[in-house]
Amino acid sequence: MTEKDYIAQLFRVRRERFGISDDIYWGWFNPDDGSVEWKTWRHADADGMGGFANILRPLGFPCDPLPICNENKVPSWLEIFRASKENPRPAALKQINWKQTYAYSPDSMRMPEVAFLTREETIALKEKGKNQKLNYSNLAFSALNRVVAKKLVNGDDPYYWFIGVNIRGATNIRNEQFNQVSGINLPIYPDSDAAHWQQQMRLALKSKSHWATWKLANIGKYIGDGGLALVYRLSTNSSHFAGSCSVMGDWPLPDERNPEINNNRLLCAAGPGTANYPINSSLVGWNGATTLTLKLHPYICEDQTLIKTLVNAWRDEILRDL
């Protein structure tokens, strides 16, 4: 049977039926002047790893094989149900009390902004995580959450962040360009620290929440484009999240065939967003350094200056205790 990318189908239906872009922005960040020449690829064409491979291979980086997860199969619904019962998770309302929202047109957008951690700062961040038995990404994203909550959110109620999860190697999908990333929704408080993020992450993975998300995202296989459009329209009206946090890996992948890197530019990227997921953030490692990329939907962002202010505040918050 011919393989089909049902995640791509979902992104295509959103674009065609609702005018929602699935563009992933990427570029080379110049740390000397902060400039980026932004380009895009469509999420319907490739996920983050597949997209980076398409960018880097023409430059001589083999990117082979692409990283796989530590699971070896897609669990059944019964296994997911049992795991969720054995690992109950706290819940939050799928609503956020934004301090300010703005009217926007379907084709309006804000561009990503980038800050970066040097090699030395990246090493210090990872060493801090190791010493505290925390993943460095949880240190970074909890810092982002505190920054944006202080500026954009009213109250102390928890809300959800969507965290991407690599599932390559477990899906048995042969076409490496097909989307093979799922995700989990983490209930997070405005002042949650990295330990709380990691606790919620581990609990979500034990409950196999990412596999429930994967199976639901592939529902187009059974209900077609029309059914997908209906489900999306109904769920969009009742579900609102802070946004997405993506760990897009350390590049280039280790390989003795890699060419020498003789410039200081850094790879960066940011995923698509909607009014329901208005904050898009990513960590991308390049040649030992790390880019922090932030993009806000115009629903919660009046101008580009706010994004630049917040991405710099994110960097400062990460570095504050290093």
Side-chain angles (χ1 to χ4, degrees):
M1 180 182 292
T2 302
E3 288 185 318
K4 184 172 181 179
D5 188 344
Y6 293 102
I7 307 301
Q9 178 189 18
L10 175 59
F11 283 114
R12 177 178 57 77
V13 167
R14 288 200 326 173
R15 179 185 282 263
E16 294 176 355
R17 304 291 181 98
F18 303 99
I20 297 174
S21 173
D22 63 328
D23 288 341
I24 295 176
Y25 281 79
W26 74 274
W28 293 103
F29 173 77
N30 183 341
D32 295 331
D33 61 14
S35 63
V36 183
E37 182 180 348
W38 290 109
K39 301 178 182 180
T40 63
W41 80 77
R42 288 186 57 184
H43 212 316
D45 294 330
D47 60 19
M49 286 189 186
F52 280 165
N54 292 338
I55 293 164
L56 296 175
R57 284 171 178 162
L59 301 179
F61 299 96
C63 302
D64 178 38
L66 293 178
I68 62 175
C69 68
N70 59 5
E71 300 181 73
N72 56 25
K73 70 181 184 69
V74 179
S76 66
W77 273 117
L78 179 58
E79 290 173 308
I80 294 171
F81 177 76
R82 286 174 175 169
S84 67
K85 287 296 183 180
E86 293 170 359
N87 301 276
R89 303 176 60 210
L93 294 176
K94 293 181 180 180
Q95 299 291 334
I96 299 180
N97 186 15
W98 299 112
K99 289 184 177 180
Q100 183 68 52
T101 59
Y102 305 91
Y104 63 92
S105 60
D107 59 348
S108 63
M109 66 176 183
R110 300 278 180 261
M111 296 302 293
E113 296 285 353
V114 184
F116 77 103
L117 305 177
T118 65
R119 291 183 185 180
E120 294 74 20
E121 290 165 345
T122 299
I123 290 171
L125 176 64
K126 292 183 176 181
E127 189 66 23
K128 178 181 178 181
K130 181 179 179 181
N131 291 338
Q132 297 184 2
K133 298 183 179 180
L134 297 171
N135 191 296
Y136 81 97
S137 64
N138 292 326
L139 289 166
F141 288 130
S142 62
L144 172 65
N145 175 65
R146 291 191 297 273
V147 166
V148 299
K150 183 177 180 180
K151 184 68 176 180
L152 302 177
V153 179
N154 281 320
D156 300 319
D157 293 331
Y159 45 78
Y160 286 105
W161 282 95
F162 184 80
I163 315 297
V165 177
N166 176 31
I167 54 173
R168 287 177 182 270
T171 62
N172 202 31
I173 293 174
R174 294 180 295 277
N175 189 330
E176 70 165 16
Q177 291 301 305
F178 282 9
N179 283 270
Q180 296 183 68
V181 60
S182 186
I184 50 181
N185 292 311
L186 296 189
I188 298 296
Y189 289 89
D191 62 350
S192 288
D193 61 12
H196 182 255
W197 273 70
Q198 185 143 313
Q199 177 191 49
Q200 295 305 312
M201 176 75 78
R202 287 176 173 172
L203 187 57
L205 293 174
K206 286 181 179 179
S207 73
K208 300 188 183 299
S209 175
H210 55 303
W211 287 118
T213 299
W214 172 255
K215 285 178 174 287
L216 290 173
N218 279 267
I219 198 173
K221 178 179 181 180
Y222 307 103
I223 63 177
D225 288 5
L228 268 181
L230 176 62
V231 169
Y232 184 79
R233 179 171 59 81
L234 294 175
S235 62
T236 297
N237 293 333
S238 58
S239 299
H240 298 267
F241 304 82
S244 62
C245 299
S246 300
V247 182
M248 301 186 75
D250 289 324
W251 302 84
L253 301 177
D255 196 309
E256 61 183 12
R257 298 170 292 173
N258 286 338
E260 181 180 356
I261 298 174
N262 53 17
N263 57 65
N264 67 344
R265 68 182 186 175
L266 304 174
L267 188 62
C268 57
T274 71
N276 298 79
Y277 286 87
I279 303 172
N280 298 98
S281 63
S282 73
L283 303 175
V284 179
W286 178 259
N287 197 26
T290 303
T291 52
L292 314 171
T293 306
L294 184 66
K295 182 161 68 75
L296 302 184
H297 191 277
Y299 175 62
I300 61 167
C301 178
E302 187 176 22
D303 56 44
Q304 193 71 27
T305 302
L306 174 62
I307 309 175
K308 187 66 174 179
T309 298
L310 288 177
V311 78
N312 287 330
W314 179 16
R315 178 183 186 275
D316 292 343
E317 182 73 8
I318 291 173
L319 297 179
R320 188 163 57 96
D321 296 326
L322 289 187

